[in-house]
Amino acid sequence: MTNPLLSHWDTPFEIAPFDQISDEDFASALDQALAAHNAQIDAIASNPDAPTFDNVIGALETPCQALEQVLSVFYTVAGADSNPKRQELQRAFSPKLAAHSSAITANKALYARIKAVWDQRDELDLTEEQQRVLMLTHRSFVRGGAALEGAEDARMQEIKGRLAILGTEFTQNLLADESNWFMELSEEDLEGLPDFAIAAARAAGKEKGVDGPVVTTSRSIITPFLQFSPRRDLREKAFQAWAARGANGGKTDNREIAAEILALREERAKLLGYENFAAYKLETEMAKTPEAVRGLLMDVWGPAKARADADAVILTEMMQADGINGDLEPWDWRYYSEKRRKIEHDLDEAELKPYLQLDKMIEAAFSCANRLFGLEFEPLDIPLYHPDCRAWEVTRNGEHMAVFIGDYFARGSKRSGAWCSAMRGQAKFPEKQAPVVINVCNFAKGDPALLSYDDARTLFHEFGHALHQMLSDVTYESISGTSVARDFVELPSQLYEHWLEVPEVLSEFATHAETGEPMPKEMLDKVLGAATYDMGFQTVEYVASALVDLAFHDGAAPADPMARQAEVLAEIGMPHAITMRHATPHFAHVFSGDGYSSGYYSYMWSEVMDADAFAAFEEAGGAFDPERAKALEENILSTGGSKDPAELYTAFRGRLPGVEALLKGRGLAAE
């Protein structure tokens, strides 16, 4: 019987036939796919013809169809719908794939041919895009250790393999802690919780097999509980469990794993001649140096901490007025901040939430994409990996552009957070292919599903990433879509969040779940007026995480990451009642892989640009100005990694931005 992962997918838009694939198919399919890719690489490396762009770089850009199919399906379900078998496979696949990747980088014959093309680049008649792909390929091999010899080469391969194993262990430990902990609530414990939070708690209890409501560590459930529950003892218990993910002792504890990862990263960087891992990692980013990153973060830290400190005084007074003496604690902040928001902005999350229906917010995201870029979305009825998933065909002027899949609801089998991935990227070489893009979120289920304002921003954020994939228009898949510098990749996503705040968008799509009435203008004004409310808290918890990440990698790797984390927080004067958004043991951005390691700052680096970029629309004809939309697509969304990010942004805006627009956008600029 043919393995469905390896056969040609004769399905609509060549979507993976999820209904035909079982967990038993993955292991054998991966082995066969790796063998096919090895044969392809060997043929390129041993080609007796003189090295050319076509027979080396072009050949490397030709995808191994079998490997792409296997990995696209496996990593989709491993992240969004895990189970014990898939976790076991992930543990087995990680070192195998790391060894495969390392073997390609370490292939001396292959590197010699790449270097030969690189050395004669000035004599070749290459397009700008081909020059870029050649540069990126050569740089990737050098940074991967291709020029190392002997013992250093062997050690590099060992480090890569070990890092792959550790990243998988970190992720699975975190998923286990998040899946296993929940706090049962009695009917009395529901006091003060709005209907949407109670409904989410009951749905979570059902998912956990409990006869009653529960609080889990899913952000969409625990955050409303911390906002609304008057039970300080229960808030503390829930918060402590949330904060302790990955640090509970036993086999799921991530602290020693983090220490080993940091040590191996430092060794890897030094093998390549860099002073530390941050210097190595940032070389290819817009920021370029640790000093530039720290400068940005500290420029924002001062105003943010000042705002947070002032807010803490007010919240403490509110708490003491309730008869609670002592310090404001992390499990108190959200509760009293929500009370204060209701007083100062007369904005009640419980009253707001019925106007933010998931289906209507999806419609809003689609509508904005239609008005800006002419995209249209038609539902598809196709088998997907989970019943919660939905799919749409994306077209423009009748032309197929992409397939978009949305997987929006929290469940125990899904890792926390929200992300965008592509099961297939856009390309024109060796033949034209349209992208298949997935947005994964962790919203609480309901009938209908209702979002917090933060949830709605998350939906728009991830859809901004999806647009970067859908509108990509380059030749080579390796530079298509979101294949850009890490501190540039968040620009399209964070920029798209701004359209949620456009009054005409909210007035059209923020309609009440029961009455269908649009959000009253008075409430709309309050929502927009409160857009920067509690921004001191939000900015402090984020910047603290980014500074700790940078400190871990800019210098000698700490033997005790938790002690180094405490030192950094003490140095910057971290407010007592605010914690890092992601403490080390559950900092998946940094320790599940190299993606955001020494790069968590990139959200803020991109925010400097997104605030400035949206200002360009406001300075022109408004949020839907056609000329600005065209410039955004032509210079940023369609170009992928085909040019240097600074060049792309300058082409769109005419200059690079400063931090002023960000501080103004967050309401942190000096009066």
Coordinates of all heavy atoms in Angstrom, one line a residue, residues 8 53 60 72 139 145 169 184 193 195 217-218 222 307 316 337 378 423 506 509 527 541 603 615 633 644 671:
H8 N 1.6 11.4 -4.8 CA 1.2 12.7 -5.3 C -0.2 13.0 -4.7 O -1.1 12.1 -4.7 CB 1.1 12.6 -6.9 CG 0.5 13.9 -7.4 ND1 1.1 15.1 -7.4 CD2 -0.8 14.0 -8.0 CE1 0.2 16.0 -7.9 NE2 -0.9 15.4 -8.3
F53 N 25.5 28.6 -11.5 CA 24.3 29.0 -10.6 C 23.2 27.9 -10.8 O 22.7 27.4 -9.8 CB 23.8 30.3 -11.0 CG 22.6 30.7 -10.1 CD1 22.8 31.4 -8.9 CD2 21.3 30.4 -10.4 CE1 21.7 31.7 -8.1 CE2 20.2 30.7 -9.6 CZ 20.5 31.4 -8.4
L60 N 19.9 23.3 -5.7 CA 19.6 23.2 -4.2 C 18.2 23.9 -4.0 O 17.5 23.5 -3.0 CB 20.6 24.0 -3.5 CG 22.0 23.3 -3.3 CD1 23.0 24.3 -2.7 CD2 21.8 22.1 -2.4
S72 N 5.9 19.0 6.3 CA 4.8 20.0 6.4 C 3.7 19.4 7.2 O 3.1 20.1 8.0 CB 4.4 20.4 5.0 OG 3.7 19.4 4.3
R139 N 26.4 32.3 2.7 CA 26.4 32.7 4.1 C 25.9 31.6 5.0 O 26.4 31.4 6.1 CB 25.7 34.0 4.2 CG 25.8 34.6 5.6 CD 25.1 36.0 5.7 NE 23.6 35.8 5.8 CZ 22.8 36.9 5.9 NH1 23.3 38.1 5.9 NH2 21.5 36.7 5.9
G145 N 29.0 26.1 9.5 CA 30.2 25.4 9.8 C 30.8 24.7 8.6 O 31.7 23.9 8.8
E169 N 12.8 18.5 23.8 CA 12.5 18.2 25.2 C 11.9 19.4 25.9 O 11.0 19.3 26.6 CB 13.8 17.7 25.9 CG 14.3 16.4 25.5 CD 15.5 16.0 26.3 OE1 16.0 16.8 27.1 OE2 16.0 14.8 26.0
E184 N -9.8 22.9 39.7 CA -11.3 22.8 39.6 C -11.9 23.9 40.4 O -11.4 24.4 41.5 CB -11.7 21.4 40.2 CG -11.2 20.3 39.4 CD -11.8 19.0 39.8 OE1 -13.1 18.9 40.0 OE2 -11.0 18.0 40.0
L193 N -17.0 36.3 38.1 CA -16.6 36.0 36.7 C -17.7 36.3 35.7 O -18.9 35.9 36.0 CB -16.2 34.5 36.5 CG -15.0 34.0 37.4 CD1 -14.7 32.6 37.0 CD2 -13.8 34.9 37.2
D195 N -20.0 36.0 32.2 CA -20.5 34.8 31.6 C -19.6 34.1 30.6 O -19.5 32.9 30.6 CB -21.8 35.1 30.8 CG -23.0 35.5 31.8 OD1 -22.9 35.1 33.0 OD2 -24.0 36.1 31.3
T217 N -3.9 26.7 32.3 CA -2.9 27.7 32.0 C -3.0 28.2 30.6 O -2.1 28.9 30.2 CB -1.5 27.0 32.2 OG1 -1.3 25.9 31.4 CG2 -1.3 26.7 33.7
S218 N -4.1 27.9 29.9 CA -4.3 28.6 28.6 C -4.5 30.0 28.8 O -5.4 30.4 29.7 CB -5.5 27.9 27.9 OG -5.8 28.7 26.7
I222 N -6.9 31.7 31.7 CA -6.3 32.2 33.0 C -6.3 33.7 33.1 O -6.5 34.2 34.2 CB -4.9 31.6 33.2 CG1 -4.5 31.7 34.7 CG2 -3.9 32.2 32.3 CD1 -3.3 30.9 35.1
R307 N 5.9 54.6 33.8 CA 4.4 54.5 33.7 C 3.9 53.4 34.7 O 3.0 53.5 35.4 CB 4.0 54.3 32.3 CG 2.5 54.0 32.1 CD 1.7 55.3 32.5 NE 2.1 56.4 31.7 CZ 1.7 56.7 30.4 NH1 0.9 55.9 29.8 NH2 2.2 57.8 29.8
T316 N -2.2 49.8 44.1 CA -2.0 49.5 45.6 C -3.0 50.2 46.4 O -3.5 49.6 47.4 CB -0.5 49.8 46.0 OG1 0.4 49.1 45.1 CG2 -0.3 49.5 47.4
S337 N -6.3 46.3 37.9 CA -6.2 47.1 36.6 C -7.5 47.1 35.9 O -8.0 48.1 35.3 CB -5.1 46.5 35.7 OG -5.0 47.3 34.5
E378 N -13.1 32.3 -0.1 CA -14.3 31.4 -0.3 C -14.1 30.2 0.5 O -13.0 29.5 0.4 CB -14.4 31.1 -1.8 CG -15.6 30.3 -2.1 CD -16.9 31.1 -2.0 OE1 -16.9 32.4 -2.1 OE2 -18.0 30.5 -1.7
M423 N 2.4 25.4 5.1 CA 2.6 24.0 4.7 C 3.3 24.0 3.3 O 4.0 23.0 3.0 CB 1.3 23.2 4.6 CG 0.7 23.0 6.0 SD -0.7 21.8 5.9 CE 0.2 20.3 5.6
L506 N -14.4 48.5 13.2 CA -15.1 48.0 14.4 C -16.6 48.3 14.3 O -17.4 47.5 14.7 CB -14.5 48.7 15.6 CG -13.2 48.2 16.2 CD1 -12.6 49.1 17.3 CD2 -13.3 46.8 16.7
F509 N -18.0 45.4 12.0 CA -17.9 44.0 12.4 C -18.0 43.7 13.9 O -18.2 42.5 14.2 CB -16.5 43.5 11.9 CG -16.5 43.5 10.4 CD1 -15.8 44.5 9.7 CD2 -17.1 42.5 9.6 CE1 -15.8 44.5 8.3 CE2 -17.1 42.5 8.2 CZ -16.4 43.5 7.6
V527 N -13.3 52.1 23.7 CA -12.3 51.0 23.3 C -11.1 51.7 22.7 O -10.0 51.4 23.0 CB -13.0 50.1 22.2 CG1 -11.9 49.2 21.6 CG2 -14.0 49.2 22.9
E541 N 6.6 44.0 31.0 CA 6.7 42.5 31.0 C 7.4 42.0 29.7 O 8.2 41.0 29.7 CB 5.4 41.8 31.2 CG 4.3 42.1 30.1 CD 3.2 41.1 30.2 OE1 3.1 40.3 31.1 OE2 2.3 41.1 29.2
Y603 N 10.2 41.8 18.1 CA 8.8 42.3 18.1 C 8.8 43.9 18.3 O 8.1 44.6 17.6 CB 8.0 41.7 19.2 CG 7.6 40.3 19.0 CD1 8.4 39.2 19.6 CD2 6.5 39.9 18.3 CE1 8.1 37.9 19.4 CE2 6.2 38.6 18.1 CZ 7.0 37.6 18.6 OH 6.6 36.3 18.4
A615 N 1.5 55.2 10.2 CA 1.5 56.7 10.2 C 1.5 57.1 8.7 O 0.9 58.1 8.3 CB 2.6 57.3 10.9
E633 N 2.4 46.4 -0.5 CA 2.5 45.1 -1.1 C 3.8 45.0 -2.0 O 4.5 44.1 -1.9 CB 1.3 44.9 -2.0 CG 1.3 43.5 -2.7 CD 0.1 43.2 -3.5 OE1 -0.9 43.9 -3.4 OE2 0.2 42.2 -4.3
D644 N 17.6 43.4 1.1 CA 17.9 43.7 2.5 C 16.7 44.4 3.1 O 16.1 45.3 2.5 CB 19.1 44.6 2.6 CG 19.5 44.9 4.0 OD1 20.2 44.2 4.7 OD2 19.0 46.0 4.5
E671 N 4.9 63.9 27.9 CA 3.8 64.9 27.6 C 4.5 66.2 27.2 O 5.5 66.6 27.8 CB 3.0 65.1 28.9 CG 2.1 63.9 29.2 CD 1.1 63.5 28.2 OE1 0.7 64.4 27.5 OE2 0.7 62.4 28.2

